[in-house]
Amino acid sequence: MSRAQPAADPSPANHTADTATLAGLRLRCPRCRTSIDTLDCPACGFVIVIDDGIAHALPPESAAHHARFMADYERIRTSEGRGSESGAFYLALPYRDTTGRDRCQWRMRARSYDYLVRRLPQGGRILDLGAGNGWMSFRLALAGYRPTAVDLLDNDRDGLGAARHYRARLPALFPRFQAEMCRLPFADEQFDAAVFNASFHYVEDGEACLREALRCVRKGGMVIISDTPWYARDASGRQMLAERREIFLHRHGTTADAIASLGYLTDERLRSMADALSIRWKVHRPWYGMRWALRPLIAKLRGRRKPSRFRLYVTRKPS
């Protein structure tokens, strides 16, 4: 489960030392949006507390809002057997699932990652939004990028705490922030790209989260949505969500709908967000294999709803 935010040490020396561990990131208060030079906000009093290398930037009211979602998500992921006691599992991701439980999903994640990493500016500062156990930030760091991982969960199996397995393989572990994607604790225009890493479908307000990501990237920088389900028809997406609620209720005793998350993308939703933010999408279609390509045909032959598709959506911050 997520750890409670620890008590802060208000001493300036402690704040200076903690800030130094954040790789030169410029911060802003996630509660009142004031730029801050240390970990505490002089305007509203909120303090970003670093515990075991994780910067806890989730205000109490935000933590309360997401509490049930986080509890349900962690319980479901534990029930599904996500994560592992073995460090080898995390070090092999996304190219190999040593548990064998989610091989197809990780195979798709690997192809998405290989496709998107070729489009990132070499050595750039990358914001990994919805980082989970930090596997993508780990891979980016190995490849010479400067990643920063953001997620709501901080547990040691499926959240930011799992990044402990990467420490021995990196000169320095990448910064990790427990934070909301619609209230990022970073000052403007300091990342070269922001990637919603299989996470955009969990947000409540897609436009607000995209606006935050665009705020944090430099002019001309990229924002990428990766591994979020897309449907040609909104009705198919709504049917998928209804099926998922029924499955979760039967298997886990909860519908897992504590917050009204986006759930999926459609062309209409993408156009609406693009119009509101004055951006343009470039759509990429990675090849996930013949079996994946045949899913729509197989679903049609079996009389089922059209399945989701996965694409990469890339936009650049206007100059």
Side-chain angles (χ1 to χ4, degrees), residues 65-298:
H65 175 71
H66 291 286
R68 185 181 157 199
F69 166 80
M70 293 163 67
D72 285 348
Y73 189 87
E74 288 189 334
R75 182 155 56 87
I76 289 170
R77 300 282 284 188
T78 299
S79 177
E80 292 174 341
R82 303 286 181 148
S84 173
E85 296 297 329
S86 169
F89 166 76
Y90 299 94
L91 294 171
L93 297 177
Y95 299 108
R96 188 162 59 95
D97 174 12
T98 60
T99 70
R101 287 187 289 263
D102 300 291
R103 286 177 179 171
C104 291
Q105 185 182 88
W106 284 113
R107 189 179 300 119
M108 189 185 75
R109 295 278 187 272
R111 291 180 179 180
S112 295
Y113 172 75
D114 286 343
Y115 196 93
L116 78 85
V117 77
R118 294 193 296 269
R119 286 150 179 83
L120 296 175
Q122 185 59 45
R125 177 162 273 174
I126 312 299
L127 193 52
D128 180 1
L129 297 172
N133 61 40
W135 70 264
M136 191 173 82
S137 285
F138 171 60
R139 289 290 170 184
L140 289 172
L142 286 178
Y145 295 91
R146 293 171 293 157
T148 295
V150 176
D151 204 276
L152 277 177
L153 302 184
D154 65 348
N155 66 67
D156 292 339
R157 191 176 180 91
D158 201 37
L160 295 170
R164 71 187 190 279
H165 297 291
Y166 309 128
R167 280 196 177 105
R169 301 297 181 93
L170 298 173
L173 194 56
F174 45 86
R176 293 167 291 159
F177 282 79
Q178 184 188 35
E180 290 179 283
M181 286 185 278
C182 63
R183 289 188 179 188
L184 294 171
F186 310 113
D188 298 354
E189 299 187 353
Q190 60 181 311
F191 296 93
D192 297 292
V195 181
F196 288 94
N197 176 17
S199 59
F200 196 73
H201 44 294
Y202 291 115
V203 307
E204 294 176 81
D205 187 333
E207 181 184 324
C209 290
L210 276 177
R211 192 182 301 277
E212 268 292 88
L214 287 164
R215 178 186 64 78
C216 291
V217 301
R218 298 183 173 96
K219 291 180 180 178
M222 292 185 291
V223 174
I224 302 171
I225 298 176
S226 174
D227 290 342
T228 277
W230 172 91
Y231 290 93
R233 298 174 60 247
D234 187 68
S236 297
R238 285 188 276 107
Q239 185 178 348
M240 177 274 294
L241 292 180
E243 292 170 358
R244 188 183 69 173
R245 285 192 293 268
E246 185 176 343
I247 290 171
F248 282 178
L249 183 61
H250 176 71
R251 293 181 181 174
H252 309 292
T254 177
T255 54
D257 58 356
I259 61 172
S261 60
L262 194 65
Y264 57 91
L265 288 170
T266 62
D267 285 344
E268 182 179 355
R269 288 181 172 184
L270 288 161
R271 280 194 298 268
S272 176
M273 291 184 290
D275 290 344
L277 299 171
S278 299
I279 58 174
R280 297 179 62 183
W281 293 111
K282 185 173 183 180
V283 182
H284 298 268
R285 296 172 173 82
W287 175 250
Y288 294 116
M290 184 59 70
R291 181 177 179 182
W292 188 265
L294 290 174
R295 288 172 70 243
L297 176 60
I298 293 172

